[in-house]
């Protein structure tokens, strides 16, 4: 990070430096340069310039032990001088930008052009009186009706409806963006941090931390600001988000005290003084530069685009190009070039850079943004299963629509030409050209409207609305969704691997049994019964050898339980001290945290915690606590009934396990052993030699801690099992405890065939002689596995990966995982859906997760499953409705145009229908609330076709009903209603009652079919729960009201003629017939309709290969790249074979699936091209970003087609 760029960037800060120094003993710039140093260099600078950390605290006017006083004026002053702890987010897109984006839609552009041409031509009148005779039938009826002035209305109406569609789309995008920002800020508020203010430890939102605050850091934290360590125990930090180095860095006040924001605490605890926040912290500086450079890049691309366009045909050496192009590339290279180059960026930006920074998603840390960056380069990754299927379907329908609309236009034009110029032998006259062109434009508009109706642009909208709605509602169900598609994936979940503590249990630990002085007490004894020596040792061991952040506070309300703060197991032990009528706080005040000689903090390898103190005579005593079987192995003495140590032999240990530990564990208790060891004053032991230090202990007591099962969990697990989801418990606890809790929860039922094993046994079963994990071995274990105890984070990851990669079941398993610890990160990332605990979870776990459970409760996961399935069903409901309308509208427009030379449904009417069925229906059907019945069926699985056979039956059934009625009305309607026929009307003829009735009936049928579409599994009662969805009711009613207005008062723009009450009654009656017809269709059993199965599988064939490639894409490292290329070639080969098989099948069955085949081929090759682009070496990407010149921008795709 070049100093020049920094000083330049903060030039404006320098002006105020004088006033800064006035308030505090150091300036922003001094602190920033201090934080850029590391290790010994930093330590030296601290000593020389500041006089150690204490000196730094003095200058920052803060106390290392008591923190800031917390006076508001002082805090405001600090924020003003040193900045706030937030990085301003990027400005959201304005509504106008979103409108502009919505206008980019190709079909809309075609419509706009057609409408403008139609508008222009409608004002042209052929010269001369006898134009009618001159141009023949073509102009017939134009002048007679005296309506030609109204010719412009259709064009204008089309433009108006396009505006409507665009505004609605833009508004939806805008509200989605807004919701997302709301979600983001909610995630940010969730993250709080422990800070000492006025000698009280309080939880503060990260944004409120100021320079000079004393922050308490512990295992699992994501550091919110830069700071200098005051005191630390065994602290190890993962700085990979800043340095890229994956090794954990040891931090200590005397060797390397520098702590940086955005890094993770992997082990240990400590206190630091905050020295830089927000924009001035190390992460902030990087973000600032990123923000500036992305801005530059956008500007530069625009410039270059302009240059390209301006000089397309000129000679390359044209002088004006070079200066601009070179500036642009220099600016872009800026981010990579040290010092001066980045100066270019920053100089152009100046203060603006601060505004355009990427948001530091505090709950997602630095990496989140790198993820965003990667996402930009690889859009394939984000697609969920559902979106993949939908995109495919939309493309297929679009292709079919395009073919239909092209044929429509060709037939209309041919018919017109043959009729006029061949049959009636009319010459083409110069002055008649505009009238003929007007006809052609009309035909073209009809063609485009067929296309508009055919393309289901409501599909993506429906997905977005459905997901956004679900995410909003899931917040109320304690699910904070961080990645939209996680919500839908959850609906397909087939397995949940859950933690025990806190998720299945209440995470309120209480000591209920203990073993002291050779006696097993089934309930906590009176302190007078216990040997005084043992009691004293126990009192010291628990009070000192637990994090000082763990406390028991008085209850908030009278009569409720005391509040447990910090580590819940430690709170359980502290509760034991209080029950034995002692107060742990008095000892902690005598021996504050700084006086602890050495702390071995708890981690997943040690599974114990030890604290060393120096006794008054200069000797040392170490207190240890941890999982009983682990600590007892290291004990060679135990305190007897008078509190004196006696020998503790291996056979005593075995007896202890049988008589004490197993009975406690079988009651579902977690057993903790407390022990101690004395060391001589000299020689002082080598504290780094852990193996020797943590040995030869003397056991004081064994405590049985109860963590009761949450009352709502057994019911939730039963629901999961009914819904076809297997629940597995993966815990670090003792196997007996785990089994007891699993039985209480209902995960295992006595008498069933299941496996309960611990981590050791699990590894023995899944690894071969060389110690490598083998998939076949995992496949033998996981189907029956229900409880995995004493498991390490690696075991959890191995299990999740093994289940996901398993091919022994025909459906690929979709796995959800819950986790709270830092070490659960890999498993959470690997799972299809990772749930982090909102209360007990560490920041690292939250960052790796997809959904945060704000109440840490397992039953919230069941709600997530319900919402996920609901999303899938909402989309299916919408699809069923949409496809029925599509099929009918396209066939009506097509056949009508071919037989009567005019579509019975006019362009503007089609656009209205499109608006109903796309935008409004997606709103109505996508916001159906979930019901319990969703949990009574098995998961859909990944490769089930989107359109089930029941849905295909409904779509085809309703389409038949609608087509029969519309064609009846079209060809014999005028006789039935005794009105003039609307067929073969001339160009600008007034609207006819006949065609209005057809349009009105069509819309009525759609409205009632929308009610049918609410059920997709062949249920009878389509009104079930309809009033539970006010949005649905209001949209159906609203559409009906608007339809009445359009028909009665729409007139020329909507090509409508007002209808009488009787005609209206008929239209509504035919519409109501839809509901009756729906019941008829529901009565036909699917088994009778064999052909439907094929129809439903249209989208399924090569779902998997493509999807696997994109899925694997998430975790490609360099070693896998070559392998991936091979895979893609393999898929390509596979695809060719598939295509050939398809051709053969088509010939056999004599049907034509040609469109679908061609489409499938195309979509899969495009996906491969994209994949190879993403896979091909990263240098391509950075190059094309850095030098966004046309040459490199086109380079990656060419590698794709190799």
């Amino acid at each position: 990070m070049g100093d020049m760029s920094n000083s330049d960037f903060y030039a404006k800060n320098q002006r105020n430096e004088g006033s800064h120094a006035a308030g505090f003993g150091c300036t922003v710039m001094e602190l920033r340069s201090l934080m850029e140093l590391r290790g010994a260099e930093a330590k030296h600078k601290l000593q020389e310039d500041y006089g150690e950390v204490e000196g730094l605290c003095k200058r920052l006017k803060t106390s290392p032990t008591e923190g800031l006083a917390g006076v508001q004026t002082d805090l405001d002053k600090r924020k003003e001088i040193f900045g706030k702890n937030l990085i301003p987010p990027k400005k959201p897109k304005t509504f106008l930008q979103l409108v502009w984006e919505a206008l980019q839609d190709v079909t809309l552009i075609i419509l706009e052009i057609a409408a403008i041409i139609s508008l222009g031509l409608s004002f042209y009148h052929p010269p001369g009186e006898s134009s009618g005779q001159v141009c023949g039938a073509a102009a017939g009826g134009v002048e007679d009706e005296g309506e030609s002035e109204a010719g412009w209305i259709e064009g204008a109406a089309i433009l108006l409806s396009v505006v409507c569609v665009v505004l609605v789309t833009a508004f939806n995008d805008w509200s989605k963006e807004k919701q997302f920002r709301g979600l983001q800020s909610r995630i940010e508020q969730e993250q709080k941090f422990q800070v000492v203010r006025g000698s009280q430890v309080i939880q503060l939102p990260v944004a409120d931390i100021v320079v000079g605050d004393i922050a308490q850091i512990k295992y699992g934290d994501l550091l919110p600001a830069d700071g200098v360590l005051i005191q630390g125990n065994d602290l190890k930090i993962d700085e990979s988000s800043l340095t890229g180095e994956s090794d954990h860095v040891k931090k200590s006040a005397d060797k390397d005290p520098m702590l940086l924001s955005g890094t993770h605490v992997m082990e240990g605890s400590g206190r630091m003084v905050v020295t830089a926040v927000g924009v001035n912290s190390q992460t902030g500086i990087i973000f600032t530069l990123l923000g500036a450079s992305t801005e530059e890049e956008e500007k530069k691309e625009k410039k270059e685009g302009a240059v390209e366009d301006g000089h397309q045909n000129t000679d390359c050496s044209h002088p004006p190009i070079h200066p601009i192009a070179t500036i642009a590339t220099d600016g872009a290279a800026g981010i990579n070039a040290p010092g001066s180059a980045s100066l270019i960026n920053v100089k152009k930006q100046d203060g603006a850079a601060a505004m355009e920074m990427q948001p530091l998603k505090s709950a997602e840390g630095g990496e989140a943004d790198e993820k965003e960056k990667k996402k930009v380069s690889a859009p394939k990754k984000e697609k969920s299963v559902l979106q993949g299927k939908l995109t495919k379907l939309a493309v297929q329908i679009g292709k079919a629509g395009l073919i239909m609309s092209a044929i429509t236009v060709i037939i209309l034009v041919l018919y017109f030409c043959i009729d006029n110029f061949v049959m009636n032998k009319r010459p083409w006259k110069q002055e008649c050209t505009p009238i003929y062109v007007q006809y052609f434009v009309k035909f073209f508009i009809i063609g485009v409207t067929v296309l508009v109706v055919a393309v289901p642009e409501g599909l993506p909208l429906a997905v977005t609305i459905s997901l956004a709605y679900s995410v909003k509602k899931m917040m109320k169900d304690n699910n904070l969704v961080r990645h939209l598609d996680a919500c839908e994936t959850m609906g397909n979940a087939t397995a949940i691997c859950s933690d025990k503590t806190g998720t299945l249990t209440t995470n309120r630990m209480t000591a209920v049994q203990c073993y002291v002085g050779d006696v097993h007490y089934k309930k906590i004894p009176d302190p007078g019964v216990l040997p005084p020596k043992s009691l004293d040792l126990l009192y010291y061991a628990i009070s000192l050898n637990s994090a000082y952040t763990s406390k028991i506070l008085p209850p908030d309300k009278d009569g409720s339980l005391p509040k447990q703060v910090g580590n819940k197991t430690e709170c359980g032990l502290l509760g034991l001290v209080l029950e034995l009528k002692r107060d742990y706080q008095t000892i902690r005040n005598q021996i504050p945290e700084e006086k602890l000689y050495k702390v071995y903090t708890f981690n997943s390898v040690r599974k114990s915690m030890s604290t060393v103190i120096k006794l008054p005579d200069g000797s040392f005593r170490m207190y240890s606590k941890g999982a009983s079987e682990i600590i007892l192995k290291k004990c060679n003495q135990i305190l007897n009934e008078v509190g004196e140590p006696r020998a503790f032999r291996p056979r005593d240990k075995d007896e202890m396990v049988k008589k004490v530990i197993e009975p406690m564990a079988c009651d579902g208790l977690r057993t903790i052993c407390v022990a101690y060891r004395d060391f001589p004053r000299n020689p002082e032991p080598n504290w780094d030699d852990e193996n020797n230090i943590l040995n030869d202990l003397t056991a004081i007591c064994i405590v049985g801690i109860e963590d009761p099962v949450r009352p709502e969990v057994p019911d939730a697990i039963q629901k999961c099992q009914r819904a076809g989801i297997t629940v597995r418990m993966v815990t670090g606890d003792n196997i007996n405890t785990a089994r007891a809790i699993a039985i209480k929860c209902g995960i295992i039922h006595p008498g069933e065939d299941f496996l309960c094993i611990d981590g050791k046994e699990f590894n023995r079963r899944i690894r071969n002689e060389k110690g490598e994990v083998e998939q076949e071995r995992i496949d033998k274990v996981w189907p029956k596995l229900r409880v995995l105890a004493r498991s390490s984070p690696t075991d959890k990851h191995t299990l999740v990966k093994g289940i996901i990669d398993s091919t022994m079941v025909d459906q690929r398993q979709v796995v959800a995982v819950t986790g709270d610890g830092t070490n659960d990160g890999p498993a959470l990332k690997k799972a299809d859906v990772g749930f982090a605990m909102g209360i007990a979870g560490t920041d690292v776990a939250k960052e790796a997760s997809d959904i945060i459970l704000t109440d840490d409760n397992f039953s919230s996961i069941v709600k997530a499953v319900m919402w996920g399935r609901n999303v899938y069903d909402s989309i299916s409901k919408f699809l069923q409705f949409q496809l029925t309308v599509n099929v009918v509208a396209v066939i009506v427009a097509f056949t009508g145009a071919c037989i009567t030379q005019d579509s019975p449904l006019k362009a503007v009417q089609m656009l209205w229908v499109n608006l109903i069925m796309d935008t409004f229906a997606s709103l109505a059907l996508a916001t159906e609330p979930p019901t319990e019945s969703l949990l009574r069926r098995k998961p859909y699985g990944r490769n089930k076709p989107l359109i089930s056979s029941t849905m295909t039956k409904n779509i085809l059934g309703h389409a038949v009903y609608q087509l029969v009625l519309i064609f009846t009305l079209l060809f014999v309607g005028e006789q039935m209603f005794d009105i003039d026929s609307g067929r073969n009307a001339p160009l600008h003829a007034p609207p006819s009652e006949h065609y209005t009735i057809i349009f009105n009936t069509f819309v009525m049928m759609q409205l009632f079919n929308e009610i049918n579409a609410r059920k997709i599994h062949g249920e009878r009662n389509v009104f079930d729960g309809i009033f539970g969805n006010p949005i649905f009711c209001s949209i159906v009613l609203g559409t009906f009201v608007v339809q009445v207005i359009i028909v009665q008062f729409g007139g020329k723009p909507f090509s409508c003629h007002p209808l009488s009450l009787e005609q209206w009654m008929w239209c509504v009656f035919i519409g109501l017939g839809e509901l009756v017809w729906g019941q008829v269709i529901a009565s036909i059993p699917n088994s009778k309709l064999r052909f439907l199965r094929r129809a439903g599988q249209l989208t399924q064939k090569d779902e998997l290969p493509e999807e696997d490639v994109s899925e694997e894409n998430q975790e490609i490292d360099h070693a896998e790249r070559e392998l991936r290329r091979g895979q893609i070639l393999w898929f390509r080969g596979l695809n060719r074979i598939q295509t050939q098989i398809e051709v053969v099948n088509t010939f056999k069955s004599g049907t034509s699936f040609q469109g679908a085949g061609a489409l499938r081929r195309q979509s899969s090759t495009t996906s491969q091209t994209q994949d190879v682009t993403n896979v091909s070496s990263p240098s391509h990407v950075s190059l094309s970003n850095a030098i966004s010149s046309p040459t490199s921008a086109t380079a990656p795709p060419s590698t794709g087609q190799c």
Side-chain angles (χ1 to χ4, degrees), residues 1119-1169:
E1120 275 184 62
R1121 290 228 151 90
E1122 289 310 307
L1123 176 78
R1124 185 71 64 250
R1125 281 214 180 113
Q1127 243 175 342
I1128 288 166
L1129 290 172
W1130 157 245
F1131 284 134
R1132 194 169 297 167
L1134 224 158
N1135 253 10
R1136 287 194 181 136
I1137 296 169
Q1138 266 179 342
T1139 313
Q1140 284 155 3
I1141 292 173
E1142 210 166 276
V1143 172
V1144 175
N1145 283 350
T1146 307
F1147 275 112
K1148 272 189 199 158
S1149 59
T1151 53
S1152 164
F1153 268 32
Q1154 213 173 349
L1159 159 74
R1160 208 168 296 119
R1161 251 194 321 281
Q1162 189 164 340
S1163 69
S1164 55
T1165 41
T1166 49
S1167 81
Q1168 288 159 0
T1169 310

Side-chain angles (χ1 to χ4, degrees), residues 846-1149:
K846 287 180 188 169
E847 192 178 309
S849 70
D850 301 295
I851 297 179
I852 296 174
L853 292 177
T854 49
D855 62 346
D856 285 16
N857 193 336
F858 185 83
S859 56
S860 303
I861 298 178
V862 182
K863 295 203 180 115
V865 172
M866 224 157 78
W867 277 108
R869 292 187 172 191
N870 192 52
V871 167
Y872 207 97
D873 278 12
S874 299
I875 303 304
S876 299
K877 288 170 189 173
F878 173 68
L879 255 181
Q880 178 176 311
F881 174 68
Q882 165 101 49
L883 291 180
T884 313
V885 188
N886 276 8
V887 170
V888 176
V890 170
I891 294 180
V892 168
F894 176 68
T895 44
C898 296
I899 299 169
T900 66
Q901 286 77 69
D902 187 10
S903 166
L905 299 171
K906 300 288 179 285
V908 179
Q909 295 173 351
M910 291 271 223
L911 284 169
W912 164 237
V913 169
N914 202 36
L915 200 67
I916 306 176
M917 68 181 200
D918 272 2
T919 313
F920 295 150
S922 57
L923 252 177
L925 292 167
T927 51
E928 288 270 312
T931 56
E932 287 283 331
S933 62
L934 289 167
L935 293 176
R936 294 196 199 108
R937 61 169 176 75
K938 298 280 176 272
Y940 278 148
R942 290 189 158 240
N943 26 11
K944 178 187 179 293
L946 252 187
I947 304 170
S948 65
S949 47
T950 313
M951 284 168 62
T952 317
K953 180 180 74 176
N954 290 342
I955 291 168
L956 295 178
H958 288 294
V960 168
Y961 173 82
Q962 296 185 9
L963 285 172
V964 167
L965 281 163
I966 284 179
F967 284 136
T968 311
L969 286 175
L970 179 59
F971 296 113
V972 291
E974 69 271 22
Q975 291 141 31
M976 289 161 58
F977 288 102
D978 191 26
I979 46 177
D980 296 333
S981 166
R983 295 193 298 280
N984 300 327
L987 191 57
H988 294 303
S992 66
E993 273 179 290
H994 184 188
Y995 274 18
T996 307
I997 288 177
I998 294 176
F999 165 58
N1000 199 22
T1001 309
F1002 181 68
V1003 173
M1004 287 303 123
M1005 290 196 286
Q1006 299 327 322
L1007 268 186
F1008 287 105
N1009 194 29
E1010 196 164 339
I1011 298 173
N1012 274 332
R1014 291 183 67 244
K1015 302 292 173 200
I1016 50 171
H1017 298 300
E1019 295 96 329
R1020 288 267 175 205
N1021 182 5
V1022 289
F1023 291 102
D1024 181 29
I1026 192 166
F1027 296 113
N1029 186 0
I1031 300 181
F1032 183 86
C1033 301
S1034 49
I1035 282 181
V1036 171
L1037 280 173
T1039 312
F1040 183 77
V1041 172
V1042 176
Q1043 178 66 14
V1044 174
I1045 294 169
I1046 286 177
V1047 171
Q1048 296 306 101
F1049 312 106
K1052 183 72 189 174
F1054 280 96
S1055 316
C1056 285
H1057 186 289
L1059 300 179
S1060 67
L1061 186 62
E1062 187 194 350
Q1063 289 165 336
W1064 263 102
M1065 298 307 280
W1066 274 106
C1067 295
V1068 174
F1069 176 70
I1070 295 173
L1072 275 167
E1074 269 287 354
L1075 295 173
V1076 181
W1077 184 249
Q1079 295 301 318
V1080 175
I1081 295 176
S1083 314
I1084 306 170
N1086 286 7
S1087 52
K1088 289 275 168 27
L1089 305 167
R1090 282 287 160 79
F1091 68 93
L1092 289 184
R1093 289 187 193 162
R1094 287 295 302 278
Q1097 284 173 346
L1098 209 70
T1099 54
Q1100 182 189 338
K1101 287 208 180 151
D1102 64 6
E1103 191 78 56
L1104 276 173
E1106 191 184 326
E1107 199 227 291
D1108 279 1
V1109 175
S1110 69
E1111 228 188 53
E1112 298 283 337
N1113 224 357
Q1114 294 175 2
E1115 303 162 349
I1116 290 181
D1117 52 22
H1118 300 283
E1120 275 184 62
R1121 290 228 151 90
E1122 289 310 307
L1123 176 78
R1124 185 71 64 250
R1125 281 214 180 113
Q1127 243 175 342
I1128 288 166
L1129 290 172
W1130 157 245
F1131 284 134
R1132 194 169 297 167
L1134 224 158
N1135 253 10
R1136 287 194 181 136
I1137 296 169
Q1138 266 179 342
T1139 313
Q1140 284 155 3
I1141 292 173
E1142 210 166 276
V1143 172
V1144 175
N1145 283 350
T1146 307
F1147 275 112
K1148 272 189 199 158
S1149 59

Side-chain angles (χ1 to χ4, degrees), residues 809-854:
V809 275
D810 43 352
Q811 291 283 12
R812 153 160 157 18
Q813 295 279 305
V814 178
V815 184
V817 170
T818 68
D820 53 6
T822 304
N823 37 28
D824 288 331
L828 288 170
K829 271 209 167 81
K830 178 68 196 163
D832 295 286
V833 181
F835 285 92
M837 302 296 142
I839 302 168
T842 58
D843 298 335
V844 184
K846 287 180 188 169
E847 192 178 309
S849 70
D850 301 295
I851 297 179
I852 296 174
L853 292 177
T854 49

Side-chain angles (χ1 to χ4, degrees), residues 224-235:
D226 290 356
V228 178
L229 190 63
I230 297 174
Q231 172 265 325
N233 308 318
D234 209 6
L235 198 61

Side-chain angles (χ1 to χ4, degrees), residues 538 540-548 550 567-574 588 599-603 606-611 622-632 634-635 670-677 694 697-703 705:
L538 182 62
Y540 272 88
I542 292 177
S543 307
L544 296 176
N545 184 30
S546 55
Y548 278 32
S550 302
N567 181 308
K568 298 295 192 279
T569 310
E570 292 183 341
C571 289
L573 291 169
L574 293 172
R588 286 184 174 182
V599 179
Y600 298 97
T601 50
F602 180 90
N603 64 24
R606 289 187 191 127
K607 286 215 188 296
S608 69
M609 172 179 179
S610 309
T611 302
M622 176 180 78
Y623 296 109
S624 280
K625 68 166 192 296
S628 51
E629 56 262 56
I630 289 169
I631 296 280
L632 283 177
K634 299 177 177 172
C635 291
R670 165 180 276 195
T671 55
I672 303 285
C673 178
V674 183
Y676 78 101
R677 178 181 175 185
L694 299 179
L697 305 175
T698 305
I700 303 172
C701 84
I702 289 171
V703 185
I705 296 184

Side-chain angles (χ1 to χ4, degrees), residues 69 417 451 729 930 965 1103 1198:
C417 293
L451 179 64
M729 181 201 285
L965 281 163
E1103 191 78 56
S1198 62

